[in-house]
Amino acid sequence: MRKLLLTVVTSLAMVMTLAGCSSSQGNSGGVYTDGTYTGSADGMNGKVEVSVEVKDDAIVSVVVMEQQETQGIADPALETIPQAIVDANSTEVEAVSGATVTSNAIMSAVANALDKASGAIANEETPEASQQPLAFTDPDVIVVGGGFAGMNAALEASTQGAKVMLIEKTGELGGSGRYAGGTLSGAGTQMQKDAGIEDTPEAFIEDIERMGGGINVPELTQKHVENAAAAVDWMDSLGADFGDRTPTQPSTYDAFEIPREHRVTGGAKAMEALVKPLLDEQVEQGTLEILLNTEVDNLIIEDGAVVGVRLTDSTEYRSGAVILATGGYGHNEEMLHEYNFTNVLTDAPEFVTGDGYQWAIEAGAVLNNMDYLPAYAGGVPVSDSGFVHTVTAQNTAYPNTIWVNTSGERTMNEFENLDSEKKAFYASTDQNIVWMIFGQYVIDNQDPIFSREEDWSHFNEELEKGEVVFQAESVEELAEKIGVDAETLKATVDAYNEGIETGNDPFGRTDDRQPLEGTLYAVKTVPYVMLTKGGPLMNTNAQILDAEGNPIPGLFECGELAGGANIGGGANIGGLANTSCIVWGKIAGENAASYALTGAISAE
């Protein structure tokens, strides 16, 4: 574990009033108890732990005590965010571009420490802060996974009258939503109506079928779109900030026929913050128990029915129904290799390990659409960070570069393409390796090919290593260095250069470009994943199905685990994932509660 102490201390003359502090700090009374407090939050690669000194209701210092973030990538956030928090006397400061996850982790860890300083939560470092007894140990419903879907499932089940135990293996709720964007999508929302946009669930389904390749489960698609608008409206009713409230077309995904993307300021994290107080109310009423830092080992299955969970410490909790909201498998390299890619990197948080898939299989579930995973283009597999994605080669309208496969062939227009086309290219190409090739002109005249880099220094470092960046004085020499057929690569480059002269590029490029000549460079790129898209088959009641298509008694699911492709097919739909967490979280919660309390689901 790499440790880095970054101390930020200000003079007490800089003390500000507590009114400047964010409400997210948990200080409702407006008074902190002077002292030094520790806090932690999940970063990209593990816990980020901080020490926060408070005096006279001001944040005097912030020290990052321990972290496992990627060296080089996370350093700007580690170096600047603590001072920014002290200067602002608030955890709500601007994240560092390129190190957003680490930035948010530091802010959350400081907020956790300030909650202790304000008394909003117990300070476990004091003898008085003993473990509170559980409100109950005989839940009607157990929800495994405290991400956005699990939060919504637990809320719905508890408001339906069930005693609910929400089990989360990390130290805080939110899951992958803490790092996700804030898009939602629905057809017939109030915001669409206010903007004069006519839309229907039928039109939404037509878009999914047009873009999705027919791999969706039609009844799940129907159920989703019928409930999506209500999910968006519900988030609106809770006070989510939708900006100018005008639905748009997706900016990074394939376009709908009708504008139906709704973007929440602050990302999914802001939506989760609106749901959290509703969960707190259920906790206060005694209908919800939240167990953090608690890891499930497996399901308890008796006579083919799921009747509870077993923790890693062998503790067992039994219930009438279990909802799996455990997320995808984006940080499970073994599963990604088994189902999807020969070479791949990940942007998924380290806790997204696919546990729920194995548990579901052992209960009799059938996985569907596991081979579909639209990974992002341009991940550079630098050795410093291994499986974790930290470097991206620019791949959106980046001039004077061609992309070739392991045979040295071009197969697509590199400059004018859809996001879905790039994803399909990386998914289908041999070994999932794409070489980006360019000449000296690019280095001399363009922004660095590594995204979010101010200069070419990092590129030059990787060139010196000779692992993912290569340089040559001829096509043949470059082909030898990157392991592709020299004759094929020479023919590819010649055809590209001839297309520049004739204005007739083999793949239809029309951008103004320079020929590939002189010193040449190649960058090795592979796909990188965020969300996974396959999952256990379920019915419209969120019940997981067995091989015969029958519901597995007592077992429900929601969220990323349920499989975005099963619901939305192979369509790159903006807002599908976040909206699914609301729609299917509520469906799973309602039906699991009904099953546990009455023996039948709500729709029966």
Side-chain angles (χ1 to χ4, degrees):
M1 179 181 296
R2 186 169 65 94
K3 296 184 179 181
L4 178 63
L5 295 182
L6 298 169
T7 306
V8 177
V9 182
T10 62
S11 166
L12 291 180
M14 296 179 63
V15 170
M16 303 177 185
T17 64
L18 186 62
C21 293
S22 163
S23 60
S24 66
Q25 296 168 350
N27 189 346
S28 59
V31 177
Y32 292 138
T33 300
D34 290 355
T36 300
Y37 303 83
T38 61
S40 67
D42 290 321
M44 176 59 77
N45 301 324
K47 289 289 184 185
V48 174
E49 298 182 0
V50 302
S51 174
V52 179
E53 182 183 355
V54 178
K55 187 171 183 179
D56 296 336
D57 288 343
I59 304 170
V60 176
S61 71
V62 173
V63 181
V64 178
M65 300 296 295
E66 194 164 322
Q67 48 81 29
Q68 303 176 66
E69 304 301 87
T70 304
Q71 190 171 7
I73 300 300
D75 288 351
L78 294 166
E79 293 164 0
T80 62
I81 294 297
Q83 180 66 63
I85 291 173
V86 172
D87 291 344
N89 201 33
S90 171
T91 57
E92 293 188 357
V93 297
E94 185 175 354
V96 175
S97 177
T100 304
V101 173
T102 302
S103 299
N104 289 336
I106 297 171
M107 296 178 214
S108 294
V110 173
N112 177 243
L114 292 175
D115 280 342
K116 298 173 185 177
S118 70
I121 62 174
N123 183 5
E124 67 275 9
E125 296 166 0
T126 64
E128 295 77 16
S130 58
Q131 178 81 21
Q132 293 295 317
L134 297 180
F136 50 81
T137 57
D138 57 340
D140 300 308
V141 175
I142 294 174
V143 180
V144 185
F148 194 30
M151 292 169 69
N152 283 298
L155 176 62
E156 186 66 25
S158 59
T159 56
Q160 293 291 328
K163 290 187 298 183
V164 180
M165 181 177 285
L166 174 58
I167 302 177
E168 167 56 37
K169 68 179 179 180
T170 71
E172 59 183 309
L173 299 179
S176 298
R178 285 172 284 164
Y179 316 114
T183 55
L184 298 169
S185 55
T189 68
Q190 187 59 51
M191 280 177 277
Q192 283 181 313
K193 295 173 183 175
D194 293 344
I197 299 171
E198 295 184 5
D199 198 4
T200 63
E202 291 73 25
F204 199 168
I205 292 174
E206 289 177 4
D207 270 347
I208 290 173
E209 292 177 344
R210 172 177 59 84
M211 298 187 291
I215 65 173
N216 61 300
V217 180
E219 57 267 30
L220 298 183
T221 303
Q222 181 76 34
K223 186 77 169 185
H224 177 84
V225 299
E226 287 176 348
N227 289 273
V232 177
D233 290 345
W234 179 66
M235 192 53 57
D236 190 19
S237 73
L238 294 182
D241 180 3
F242 285 94
D244 66 5
R245 302 179 56 79
T246 302
T248 63
Q249 291 284 18
S251 57
T252 57
Y253 298 99
D254 297 346
F256 299 121
E257 290 291 338
I258 299 169
R260 63 171 67 95
E261 182 177 276
H262 305 66
R263 185 174 293 275
V264 175
T265 302
K269 185 177 181 180
M271 292 186 271
E272 292 174 339
L274 294 172
V275 175
K276 182 61 166 61
L278 304 180
L279 293 174
D280 292 340
E281 291 177 5
Q282 295 302 315
V283 171
E284 292 176 2
Q285 293 174 17
T287 58
L288 175 63
E289 185 73 59
I290 300 175
L291 278 63
L292 301 178
N293 294 310
T294 304
E295 192 164 357
V296 171
D297 179 64
N298 214 328
L299 301 175
I300 301 173
I301 304 171
E302 295 179 352
D303 298 325
V306 175
V307 295
V309 301
R310 181 178 300 106
L311 306 185
T312 53
D313 66 1
S314 298
T315 301
E316 292 188 355
Y317 293 113
R318 292 176 174 261
S319 62
V322 173
I323 301 173
L324 294 181
T326 52
Y329 58 93
H331 207 96
N332 186 320
E333 191 170 6
E334 182 178 346
M335 288 184 69
L336 288 171
H337 288 321
E338 177 182 356
Y339 291 108
N340 307 111
F341 303 108
T342 303
N343 289 283
V344 65
L345 300 172
T346 188
D347 263 359
E350 66 165 356
F351 51 80
V352 184
T353 52
D355 304 334
Y357 292 80
Q358 185 59 43
W359 300 337
I361 290 172
E362 292 176 9
V366 176
L367 304 185
N368 194 52
N369 278 322
M370 294 295 287
D371 59 340
Y372 175 73
L373 202 174
Y376 291 85
V380 183
V382 296
S383 58
D384 290 346
S385 52
F387 174 51
V388 176
H389 167 239
T390 58
V391 180
T392 308
Q394 296 205 51
N395 57 79
T396 300
Y398 187 73
N400 298 303
T401 303
I402 64 169
W403 304 350
V404 304
N405 58 23
T406 56
S407 298
E409 303 167 320
R410 290 175 71 198
T411 61
M412 72 175 297
N413 184 320
E414 304 90 348
F415 195 80
E416 299 148 322
N417 50 56
L418 296 174
D419 177 71
S420 57
E421 292 173 331
K422 287 187 290 189
K423 289 175 176 176
F425 176 38
Y426 274 81
S428 62
T429 196
D430 177 53
Q431 299 178 62
N432 312 112
I433 294 173
V434 176
W435 291 99
M436 295 187 177
I437 296 176
F438 54 92
Q440 186 66 40
Y441 177 88
V442 168
I443 293 180
D444 294 340
N445 295 278
Q446 296 180 194
D447 292 336
I449 193 168
F450 289 175
S451 298
R452 299 187 296 274
E453 300 275 353
E454 294 183 358
D455 54 39
W456 289 82
S457 59
H458 189 191
F459 175 88
N460 292 330
E461 291 172 7
E462 295 300 332
L463 178 60
E464 183 69 22
K465 291 179 185 177
E467 297 172 342
V468 294
V469 177
F470 299 90
Q471 174 184 348
E473 298 306 318
S474 68
V475 174
E476 291 81 3
E477 181 187 2
L478 188 66
E480 181 179 359
K481 287 187 173 182
I482 66 176
V484 306
D485 182 73
E487 184 176 339
T488 301
L489 184 60
K490 181 67 164 58
T492 296
V493 171
D494 287 347
Y496 174 76
N497 288 342
E498 182 180 347
I500 294 174
E501 294 180 6
T502 63
N504 187 24
D505 181 76
F507 291 91
R509 283 181 63 167
T510 59
D511 57 302
D512 185 21
R513 56 201 183 279
Q514 299 294 318
L516 290 171
E517 55 190 14
T519 303
L520 300 176
Y521 300 86
V523 177
K524 182 180 182 179
T525 69
V526 299
Y528 64 94
V529 305
M530 297 177 74
L531 298 175
T532 50
K533 291 290 188 176
L537 277 174
M538 64 179 179
N539 62 20
T540 57
N541 302 311
Q543 295 173 288
I544 296 179
L545 305 177
D546 63 18
E548 285 72 44
N550 299 315
I552 298 171
L555 189 58
F556 299 77
E557 70 174 339
C558 58
E560 189 177 350
L561 172 67
N566 294 333
I567 298 166
N572 290 309
I573 297 175
L576 178 67
N578 286 333
T579 314
S580 290
C581 287
I582 301 173
V583 168
W584 292 97
K586 287 179 176 293
I587 291 172
E590 178 183 3
N591 288 313
S594 178
Y595 181 89
L597 295 173
T598 70
I601 61 172
S602 298
E604 291 182 342

